[in-house]
Amino acid sequence: MSDKIRAIGVLTGGGDAPGLNAVIRAVVRTAAGHYGWDVIGFRDGYEGLVEKHSINLEMDDVSGLLTRGGTILGTSNTANPFAWPMGEGDKKQMVDRSGEAVEYARSLGLDALACIGGDGTLSIADGFRERGLKIVGIPKTIDNDLYETDQTFGFDTAVSVATEAIDRIHSTAESHHRVMLVEVMGRNAGWLALHSGIAGGGDIILLPEIPYDIDKICEKILWRNRNNRRFSIVVVSEGAKPVGGEAVVARIVEDSPDPIRLGGVSNVVAAQIEERVDLETRVTVLGHLVRGGTPTAFDRVLATRLGSEAVHLLARGESGRMVSLKGGEISSVEISKVANRQRLVPLDHSLIRMARETGISFGD
Ligand code: F6P
């Protein structure tokens, strides 16, 4: 890859998030429109880099993308060129195909690669950096669990969608005097449950970081009933677990770098609540709903800022970095500082303290 940039590749990896298309649009507009570079998109994340599926991205291709959910390039949360499953059954083994991927990128004349994704995608990007590719990372995830950035794009939209759902659950909970559980994504980090729980006026919020005690949950519900609040809203992160217990696994996605998919903890908690208190309990699992659809205005702006700055970084000759949001400004950090790490909710976080002070229980 030469020093002067003439062509870059772009890919979206991991679970999708609102704002991916807005980033692709910003990358193409800045790279092709502002600098006059060629831009090549890889299909389905790193899969396209290994299986040689790519398309040219011109200015016309990104017209109308700002508001569109998903990613026009497709994505994959299983494709890892450094550990690629080959063979069937007993013969199946993980093969390192990163060399082929680098060869393919070189054969396309690419001078650098923009990788849009979360910790998994950026960790793989860091592997390519070590193999000599010029890389820039752009932080995405509805989980908001990346280090070195105040926020990832997609999170604000996910919080808004979850909050609207909790608001709607509120009125039906009140009418029927029920306990309503709303389960949101968040495998290891409870940021989405924390923010949407506070915004939606949840009475109890269960996070992966704070193991719950079912008796404490019931105490809070009964206290509310005794005090004329004849309904309760429990916002549950899919990664919530009881004291001394484990999270509820919904499925194992073989070949995925992180194969465990969670889901269903709220059904377990709801059954335990009904056993202990004489109140009807219902469950709503929001799941992928919060990942779809149009990004909020905040996410559109953030995605555009990050995508555009990623291209400027490459133009300045800076690579191996991830663009980030710090104190309202866009800056950048070494990708290696972000790779293979997850930013969990600290137990002494100001939001946890404030939530407790305003009467929210974490079931502990
Ligand atoms: O990392 C984002 C995330 O949405 C997690 O919160 C969730 O556990 C996981 O992806 C779900 O993945 P999938 O789309 O494979 O079900």
Side-chain angles (χ1 to χ4, degrees):
M1 293 194 173
S2 64
D3 278 349
K4 193 166 168 357
I5 305 271
R6 280 178 232 94
I8 62 168
V10 59
L11 61 83
T12 54
D16 69 346
L20 281 170
N21 278 327
V23 177
I24 296 168
R25 171 179 174 272
V27 166
V28 172
R29 280 185 165 216
T30 312
H34 183 68
Y35 288 112
W37 302 345
D38 291 333
V39 184
I40 289 177
F42 292 97
R43 296 263 189 221
D44 302 331
Y46 291 109
E47 194 173 313
L49 202 55
V50 171
E51 301 287 11
K52 302 185 173 50
H53 295 151
S54 61
I55 49 166
N56 288 326
L57 289 172
E58 315 266 345
M59 294 287 276
D60 282 353
D61 299 315
V62 296
S63 170
L65 279 195
L66 185 63
T67 57
R68 222 160 107 185
T71 159
I72 55 159
L73 291 174
T75 187
S76 161
N77 57 10
T78 54
N80 179 0
F82 292 87
W84 195 270
M86 302 280 274
E88 294 294 323
D90 290 351
K91 299 244 165 62
K92 193 180 214 174
Q93 51 177 341
M94 292 304 193
V95 176
D96 183 352
R97 296 186 67 185
S98 58
E100 289 170 59
V102 172
E103 277 309 300
Y104 181 48
R106 295 216 158 105
S107 73
L108 292 171
L110 297 184
D111 301 303
L113 183 63
C115 302
I116 312 169
D119 56 334
T121 304
L122 297 177
S123 303
I124 295 169
D126 197 45
F128 281 117
R129 178 192 60 79
E130 284 173 359
R131 274 189 155 275
L133 283 191
K134 283 186 186 153
I135 295 287
V136 64
I138 303 165
K140 161 244 67 164
T141 165
I142 61 150
D143 296 335
N144 203 30
D145 59 355
L146 285 186
Y147 272 100
E148 303 291 341
T149 186
D150 294 344
Q151 197 157 322
T152 52
F153 73 85
F155 177 65
D156 185 68
T157 309
V159 171
S160 299
V161 175
T163 302
E164 195 198 331
I166 297 165
D167 288 348
R168 288 173 188 274
I169 293 288
H170 233 114
S171 58
T172 170
E174 207 165 356
S175 313
H176 286 269
H177 316 299
R178 283 173 170 158
V179 179
M180 301 292 270
L181 287 86
V182 184
E183 183 173 316
V184 297
M185 282 186 168
R187 222 179 314 188
N188 303 309
W191 295 108
L192 179 55
L194 180 62
H195 281 253
S196 60
I198 292 171
D203 306 300
I204 301 164
I205 302 175
L206 304 183
L207 305 178
E209 294 87 346
I210 306 179
Y212 63 82
D213 174 344
I214 191 67
D215 293 325
K216 297 279 184 210
I217 295 173
C218 293
E219 249 172 51
K220 174 76 181 180
I221 292 168
L222 289 172
W223 179 89
R224 285 180 54 79
N225 263 53
R226 279 198 306 277
N227 288 277
N228 269 334
R229 280 94 157 179
R230 295 179 54 214
F231 71 96
S232 289
I233 304 288
V234 189
V235 179
V236 186
S237 186
E238 64 179 0
K241 43 179 117 43
V243 176
E246 293 301 323
V248 176
V249 176
R251 64 171 65 209
I252 304 285
V253 181
E254 273 190 50
D255 304 334
S256 171
D258 192 357
I260 290 174
R261 297 292 180 273
L262 301 180
V265 60
S266 47
N267 287 305
V268 174
V269 175
Q272 291 175 336
I273 292 172
E274 278 200 331
E275 259 170 42
R276 287 168 172 76
V277 302
D278 188 21
L279 287 170
E280 259 195 299
T281 305
R282 294 285 192 273
V283 168
T284 304
V285 179
L286 298 184
H288 294 82
L289 190 80
V290 300
R291 267 173 35 184
T294 190
T296 56
F298 178 89
D299 273 339
R300 292 178 200 183
V301 174
L302 178 59
T304 305
R305 291 175 86 188
L306 292 171
S308 184
E309 179 59 17
V311 174
H312 290 312
L313 267 190
L314 294 174
R316 291 201 297 270
E318 297 179 50
S319 67
R321 302 185 72 77
M322 180 192 84
V323 284
S324 71
L325 179 71
K326 279 280 165 90
E329 294 302 323
I330 301 295
S331 59
S332 70
V333 290
E334 282 171 26
I335 287 195
S336 55
K337 283 194 173 169
V338 184
N340 299 308
R341 297 175 74 203
Q342 267 183 334
R343 190 175 64 93
L344 305 184
V345 179
L347 298 185
D348 60 353
H349 193 276
S350 58
L351 278 184
I352 301 266
R353 199 176 53 241
M354 181 277 294
R356 289 191 196 278
E357 287 162 2
T358 54
I360 293 173
S361 163
F362 289 95
D364 60 339

